[in-house]
């Protein structure tokens, strides 16, 4: 039976090519995802491990600020240095420093722009930051950069570099460039190094360090050394071994790469699920074409188990060959994933491709199992062929099995799924997604099971339209598509799955995009928002500077902190209450904003309803600094996304801030003075690279751009599933043409022209594709409507919007898929020799 399976595989290699291609693409997606995630994981691990090579113990402060007893100072470093087993102690200061590039923008990513101190040893060099050129910084006016950042600034040794922390722009002399293994810098950040005193002044606290890095002497036990270090530390300081740090960073890396891995594997699973229909369809058709052959095997003694085994062996060989090719293709997919994520703003560390035995065996195993399991039901059907009956009726059309049981099961599954999603549409809690996911899967599965029943009315409708346009070719195409509803349904279901997901994602993304537009339009009326990279806040003088700028009508600062009232956390913003109405659409429902001063506050209507507040109510508040206060409510305003639950005068908020900083400044241009205001704002702030000046359109594009980027990424991933579905249509039509060779010959004999044959096959393909498209679009709209309601919990502006132009594009693409998929089968059918076709067995 193994030889029989091998012979069948070689004999039908052309017919199985499309099936193998579907398995190959799905397996390539799996292997590419595994190789990509392993490669990124190793790149992150390598960088973090290199940065911890000499770290035996890390001492950090858990204290808060200056004067805290838990702060690390020179005396603490000396006590640690005097311990037995300590080779050296490196005091470290780190923080956020924004370096300006050639275009006066930040040279590094917002979260990775790092500043630190350069600690030279006896040889004048810092082992943590090996010099590439020049020397380390030794005075307040000097700085060293990593090589990549120095290249972005365009500065050479001896030249000047512009940078900022949380104040005015500084200009320092570039004295050296260094290499670094810091993962943040390697993933797109920047590094600026200062002498220790300057670093403490700019990004730390005078006389204090953020970390003491302890290097152990040879043959010193790290755990024992960590225990000794803990005995000499002041309160508020903690010591962790290098092993602990490595484990923590390894866990963080796994979490970081695990999310990407899971996302891509979900789409790989979708692609393989689509491939299941193609494999099952192919083997069902092959078995129908080999009825006489299987009957002969049964007649000469082959058991049913042997027939099943023969089909499964054939499927297994096909799966292994396709999976092996898919694994090789997956290496290219892994490279493409890195480029794709890089183009969408993801900064990934450099590193080689990592191919592990696990990823190779997983990819091969998945492809093999999917192919074998997909062929299991067709193999059972083959085993039921009776020798005498098959030999006696080899040329008779196959009987149509009843769909009653299948339709009943499909109706139950669909009904359960629809009922679940209707219930989901009434929920207002989006925390648990188990129920909507289960409802979506049930609905999709139910529709797939019901597809043979649903195909009759839909294909009949398209067939009637085709018949009016194309006459007899359209009539024949309709009858061919309805001749075997199971096959038509299986072929269309593959396309339906991809379009369901694409439609659902599109509707949800477009609706969220429109919600963001409405949110900005209804609440923010300022022309510009000024804030800082990293969210360190703006000096209060910034708002005063901007308010005096020609062309500015109002510059309103917003300061923010948090508090609890009766255990319920909330936010409070301090601002110029008299001017806040110029930069935001704030409507007062009760009381007056002019009364907001001192401990008198305004609250949003939502917060007032939640806490049962009204004008005159007292609001007890416990702030995050531990201080308590009781405010009096003097106004209630509409919900406003620019403001917090509570609105107060700046003086009320300032007393609860460690440092008085404005989170942002909202700028309103004077009438007719908006042109060129952005440039004037940046100029007034000294071209500070740490300051961001964003217009309302910038804010909308930024928020919408994230949604669009994710959506286009999803399109690309789901596009693989659609490509596999197209392969399924081609495969089904090609094998159907082979199956109907004699019939096509008879049609040609009674006068149907070659063009009519081509048109018949094309129309059949279009009907199958449009059936899948109609089901996919309809199901996607339903799932987007029922599931999208959950977003209203955290996104009140969300309201379902159907992008009809995109839906139309999807339907046109499905039409194009039908036409293109039929190109080769239609040409093959039209070129059949009439007499040879009539005599075909």
């Amino acid at each position: 039976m193994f030889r029989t399976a091998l012979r069948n595989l070689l004999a039908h290699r052309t017919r199985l090519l499309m099936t193998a291609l579907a398995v190959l693409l799905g397996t390539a997606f799996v292997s590419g995802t595994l190789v990509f995630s392993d490669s990124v994981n190793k790149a992150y691990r390598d960088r973090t491990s290199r940065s911890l090579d000499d770290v035996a113990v890390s001492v950090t402060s858990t204290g808060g600020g200056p004067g805290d007893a838990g702060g690390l100072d020179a005396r603490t470093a000396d006590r640690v240095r005097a311990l037995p087993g300590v080779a050296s102690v490196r005091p470290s200061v780190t923080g956020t420093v924004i370096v300006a590039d050639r275009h006066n923008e930040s040279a590094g990513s917002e979260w990775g722009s790092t500043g630190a101190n350069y600690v030279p040893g006896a040889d004048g060099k810092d082992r943590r930051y090996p010099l590439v050129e020049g020397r380390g910084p030794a005075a307040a006016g000097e700085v060293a950069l990593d090589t990549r950042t120095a290249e972005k600034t365009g500065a050479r040794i001896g030249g000047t570099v512009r940078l900022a922390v949380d104040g005015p722009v500084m200009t320092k002399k570039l004295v050296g460039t260094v290499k670094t293994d810091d993962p943040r810098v390697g993933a797109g950040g920047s590094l600026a190094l200062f002498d220790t005193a300057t670093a403490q002044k700019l990004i730390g606290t005078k006389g204090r360090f953020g970390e003491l890095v302890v290097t152990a002497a040879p043959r010193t036990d790290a755990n024992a050394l960590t225990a000794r270090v803990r005995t000499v530390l002041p309160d508020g300081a903690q010591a962790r071994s290098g092993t602990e740090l490595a484990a923590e960073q390894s866990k963080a890396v796994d979490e970081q790469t695990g999310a990407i891995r899971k996302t891509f594997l979900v789409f790989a699973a979708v692609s393989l699920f689509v491939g299941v229909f193609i494999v099952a369809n192919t083997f069902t058709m092959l078995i129908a074409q080999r009825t006489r052959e299987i009957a002969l095997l049964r007649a000469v003694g082959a058991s049913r188990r042997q027939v099943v085994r023969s089909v499964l062996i054939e499927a297994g060989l096909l799966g292994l060959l396709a999976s092996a090719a898919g694994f090789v293709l997956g290496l290219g997919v892994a490279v493409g994933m890195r480029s794709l994520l890089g183009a969408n703003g993801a900064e990934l560390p450099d590193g080689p491709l990592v191919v592990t035995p696990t990823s190779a065996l997983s990819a091969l195993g998945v492809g093999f199992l999917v192919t074998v399991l997909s062929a299991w039901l067709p193999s059972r059907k083959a085993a039921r062929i009776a020798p005498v009956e098959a030999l006696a009726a080899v040329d008779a059309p196959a009987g149509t099995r009843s769909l009653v049981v299948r339709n009943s099961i499909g109706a139950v599954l669909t009904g359960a799924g629809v009922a679940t999603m209707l219930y989901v549409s009434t929920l207002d809690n989006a925390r648990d997604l188990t129920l909507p996911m289960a409802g979506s899967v049930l609905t999709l599965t139910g529709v797939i099971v019901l597809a043979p029943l649903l195909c009759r009315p839909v294909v009949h409708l398209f067939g009637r339209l085709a018949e009016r346009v194309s006459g007899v070719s359209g009539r024949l195409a309709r009858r061919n598509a309805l001749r075997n509803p199971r096959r038509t349904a299986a072929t269309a279901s593959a396309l339906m799955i991809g379009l369901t997901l694409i439609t659902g994602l599109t509707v949800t993304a477009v609706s969220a995009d429109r919600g963001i537009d409405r949110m900005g339009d209804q609440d923010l009326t300022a022309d510009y928002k000024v804030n800082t990279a990293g969210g360190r806040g703006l000096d209060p003088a910034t708002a005063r500077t901007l308010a005096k700028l020609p062309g500015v009508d109002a510059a309103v600062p917003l300061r923010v902190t948090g508090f609890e009232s009766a255990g319920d956390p909330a936010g409070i913003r301090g601002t110029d209450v008299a001017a806040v109405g110029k930069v935001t659409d704030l409507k007062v429902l009760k009381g007056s904003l002019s009364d907001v001063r001192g401990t008198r506050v305004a609250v949003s209507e939502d917060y007032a309803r939640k806490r049962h507040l009204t004008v005159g109510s007292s609001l007890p508040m416990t702030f995050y600094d531990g201080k308590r206060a009781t405010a009096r409510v003097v106004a209630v305003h509409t919900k406003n996304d620019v403001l917090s639950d509570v609105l107060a005068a700046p003086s009320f908020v300032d007393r609860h801030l460690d440092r008085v900083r404005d989170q942002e400044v909202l700028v309103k241009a004077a009438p007719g003075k908006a042109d060129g205001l952005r440039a004037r704002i940046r100029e007034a702030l000294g071209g500070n690279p740490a300051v961001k000046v964003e217009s309302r359109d910038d804010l909308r594009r930024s928020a919408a751009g994230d949604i669009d980027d994710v959506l286009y990424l999803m399109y690309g991933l789901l596009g693989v599933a659609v490509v596999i579905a197209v392969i399924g249509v081609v495969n089904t039509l090609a094998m159907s043409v082979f199956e109907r060779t004699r019939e096509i010959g008879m049609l040609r004999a009674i006068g149907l022209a070659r063009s009519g044959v081509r048109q018949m096959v094309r129309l059949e393909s279009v009907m199958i594709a449009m059936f899948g498209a109609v089901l996919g679009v309809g199901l996607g709209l339903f799932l987007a409507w029922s599931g999208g309601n959950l977003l209203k919990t955290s996104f009140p502006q969300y309201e379902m919007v159907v992008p009809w132009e995109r839906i139309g594009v999807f339907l046109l693409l499905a039409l194009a898929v039908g036409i293109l998929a039929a190109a080769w089968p239609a040409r093959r059918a039209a070129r059949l020799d009439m007499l040879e076709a009539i005599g075909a067995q």
Side-chain angles (χ1 to χ4, degrees), residues 436-488:
M437 289 179 66
S440 300
V441 171
L442 276 175
T443 305
L444 182 59
T445 305
V447 172
I448 291 172
V449 176
L450 277 179
L453 176 65
L454 298 174
C455 81
R456 293 186 181 278
V458 178
V459 172
H460 185 78
L461 174 62
F462 283 114
R464 287 294 185 188
L465 295 174
E467 190 174 341
R468 289 187 180 183
V469 174
S470 303
V472 67
S473 294
R475 186 181 305 116
L476 290 170
R478 173 170 59 86
R479 290 179 179 177
N480 287 336
L482 293 175
R483 178 183 300 181
N484 191 331
R486 293 175 185 270
R487 182 187 301 171
T488 299

Side-chain angles (χ1 to χ4, degrees), residues 4 8 14 115 141 161 167 222 262 377 575 584 586 633 635 727 732 738 752-753 788 792 794 823:
T4 302
N8 284 332
T14 303
V161 175
K262 289 177 182 178
L377 284 178
T575 188
T584 182
L586 185 63
V633 178
I727 292 172
T732 299
F738 178 83
L752 186 63
K792 290 187 177 180
S794 55

Side-chain angles (χ1 to χ4, degrees), residues 604-666:
S604 69
E605 58 178 330
D606 287 353
Y607 189 71
R609 188 183 306 112
K610 182 179 180 180
R611 300 284 301 131
H612 307 291
L613 301 172
T614 187
V615 172
S617 297
S618 294
L619 178 63
M621 309 167 77
T622 302
F623 288 87
Y624 292 164
D625 61 358
K627 297 178 183 177
R628 299 178 181 230
T630 299
R632 181 185 173 194
V633 178
V634 295
V636 178
H637 60 79
T638 55
K639 185 180 185 307
N640 189 296
D641 289 294
V642 178
L643 306 175
S644 298
D645 300 308
V646 180
L647 187 64
S651 59
F652 186 56
V653 175
D654 290 352
R655 67 189 72 168
H656 302 289
L657 298 175
D658 291 336
R659 290 194 310 163
V660 177
R661 310 286 291 177
D662 293 328
Q663 184 187 45
E664 57 196 32
V665 176
L666 302 180

Side-chain angles (χ1 to χ4, degrees), residues 149-360:
T149 302
E151 183 180 348
K152 290 181 180 179
T153 64
R156 296 183 179 275
I157 302 297
T160 58
V161 175
R162 302 179 75 250
L163 49 87
V165 181
D166 59 356
V169 179
M170 298 175 287
T171 301
K172 293 187 180 292
K173 180 181 178 182
L174 180 64
V175 296
T177 58
V178 301
K179 293 190 297 184
T180 178
D181 292 320
D182 190 323
R184 294 170 299 177
V185 180
S190 61
L191 175 67
L193 297 174
F194 311 95
D195 66 278
T196 298
T198 303
Q200 288 175 330
K201 178 181 178 181
L202 294 178
I203 54 178
T205 304
K206 184 178 179 180
R208 303 281 179 170
F209 305 107
E211 181 184 20
L212 301 178
V213 178
V214 181
T215 303
R219 295 183 297 279
T220 300
D221 182 81
N223 292 328
L225 181 59
T226 304
R228 287 196 294 272
V229 168
R230 286 174 179 153
T231 63
V232 300
L233 295 181
D235 293 337
Q238 62 177 354
R240 290 175 295 172
S241 68
T243 305
E244 290 179 81
L245 288 177
E248 289 177 8
Q249 293 195 5
S250 177
K251 183 179 178 181
V253 168
D254 287 340
E255 292 176 353
Q256 193 171 22
T257 58
I260 300 174
R261 184 188 189 110
K262 289 177 182 178
T263 300
F264 281 108
L265 282 178
V266 166
F267 290 96
V270 171
S271 299
L272 286 170
F273 184 56
V274 170
V276 166
F277 293 91
I278 298 171
V279 176
N281 226 10
T282 299
F283 277 92
T284 299
M285 297 173 73
L286 282 176
I287 287 165
Q289 294 169 15
R290 294 191 335 231
T291 299
R292 173 177 288 181
E293 178 186 326
I294 295 171
L296 284 171
L297 288 173
R298 295 279 287 115
V300 297
S303 65
R304 291 189 175 187
R305 182 175 297 178
Q306 285 178 311
V307 172
V308 170
R309 192 181 304 154
S310 173
V311 175
L312 293 183
I313 289 173
E314 185 178 346
L317 291 172
L318 176 70
L320 282 176
L321 292 173
S323 299
F327 178 74
V328 175
L329 179 62
L331 300 180
V333 172
V335 175
M337 285 182 179
R338 181 185 290 273
S339 301
L340 181 64
L341 289 176
N344 281 274
E347 298 284 358
L348 302 174
D350 297 328
L353 282 182
V354 176
V355 182
T356 64
T358 301
S359 60

Side-chain angles (χ1 to χ4, degrees), residues 25 43 64 125 236 245 252 315 317 364 371 411 420 462 471 528 615 729 785 833:
L25 288 175
K125 298 178 181 179
L245 288 177
L317 291 172
L364 293 174
T371 311
T420 302
F462 283 114
Y528 293 98
V615 172
V729 177
W785 168 77
D833 183 88

Side-chain angles (χ1 to χ4, degrees), residues 441-732:
V441 171
L442 276 175
T443 305
L444 182 59
T445 305
V447 172
I448 291 172
V449 176
L450 277 179
L453 176 65
L454 298 174
C455 81
R456 293 186 181 278
V458 178
V459 172
H460 185 78
L461 174 62
F462 283 114
R464 287 294 185 188
L465 295 174
E467 190 174 341
R468 289 187 180 183
V469 174
S470 303
V472 67
S473 294
R475 186 181 305 116
L476 290 170
R478 173 170 59 86
R479 290 179 179 177
N480 287 336
L482 293 175
R483 178 183 300 181
N484 191 331
R486 293 175 185 270
R487 182 187 301 171
T488 299
T491 306
S493 293
L495 184 61
M496 178 197 74
I497 295 167
L499 283 177
T500 296
L501 297 175
I502 287 175
T503 301
L505 286 170
T506 299
V507 172
T508 304
V510 170
S511 300
D513 199 350
R514 301 287 172 82
I516 290 172
D517 283 346
R518 284 193 295 272
M519 180 176 66
D521 289 339
Q522 75 180 36
D523 291 334
L524 185 66
T525 59
D527 294 295
Y528 293 98
K529 177 193 284 188
V530 181
N531 55 15
T532 59
R536 293 176 62 91
L538 295 161
D539 189 289
T542 302
R544 295 191 291 270
T545 299
L546 296 180
K548 299 174 183 177
L549 195 64
V552 171
D553 183 34
V556 182
L558 294 177
R559 297 170 195 168
V560 63
T561 189
F563 70 93
E564 289 186 358
S565 183
D568 185 23
I572 179 171
R573 286 186 186 264
T575 188
D576 181 355
V577 180
V580 73
K582 295 182 178 181
V583 293
T584 182
D585 186 12
L586 185 63
K587 297 181 176 63
V588 179
L589 302 176
K590 298 177 183 177
S592 173
L593 289 181
S594 61
D595 294 330
V596 176
R597 58 182 179 274
T599 59
R600 299 178 180 182
V601 300
V603 298
S604 69
E605 58 178 330
D606 287 353
Y607 189 71
R609 188 183 306 112
K610 182 179 180 180
R611 300 284 301 131
H612 307 291
L613 301 172
T614 187
V615 172
S617 297
S618 294
L619 178 63
M621 309 167 77
T622 302
F623 288 87
Y624 292 164
D625 61 358
K627 297 178 183 177
R628 299 178 181 230
T630 299
R632 181 185 173 194
V633 178
V634 295
V636 178
H637 60 79
T638 55
K639 185 180 185 307
N640 189 296
D641 289 294
V642 178
L643 306 175
S644 298
D645 300 308
V646 180
L647 187 64
S651 59
F652 186 56
V653 175
D654 290 352
R655 67 189 72 168
H656 302 289
L657 298 175
D658 291 336
R659 290 194 310 163
V660 177
R661 310 286 291 177
D662 293 328
Q663 184 187 45
E664 57 196 32
V665 176
L666 302 180
V667 179
K668 181 68 175 178
K673 302 293 185 180
D675 291 343
L677 182 57
R678 183 203 297 267
R680 294 198 297 275
I681 291 174
R682 292 196 65 86
E683 183 180 354
L685 300 179
N688 194 325
V691 175
K692 299 189 295 184
V693 182
E694 300 172 293
S695 68
R696 293 172 62 192
D697 287 339
D698 291 335
L699 296 171
R700 280 198 293 265
R701 277 197 301 270
S702 176
D706 292 340
I707 294 175
D708 289 341
D709 288 345
V710 172
L711 182 60
Y712 292 138
L713 179 61
M714 297 300 107
Y715 281 169
L717 298 176
L718 289 172
V720 177
V722 175
V723 168
I724 294 175
V726 173
I727 292 172
V729 177
V730 176
N731 204 26
T732 299

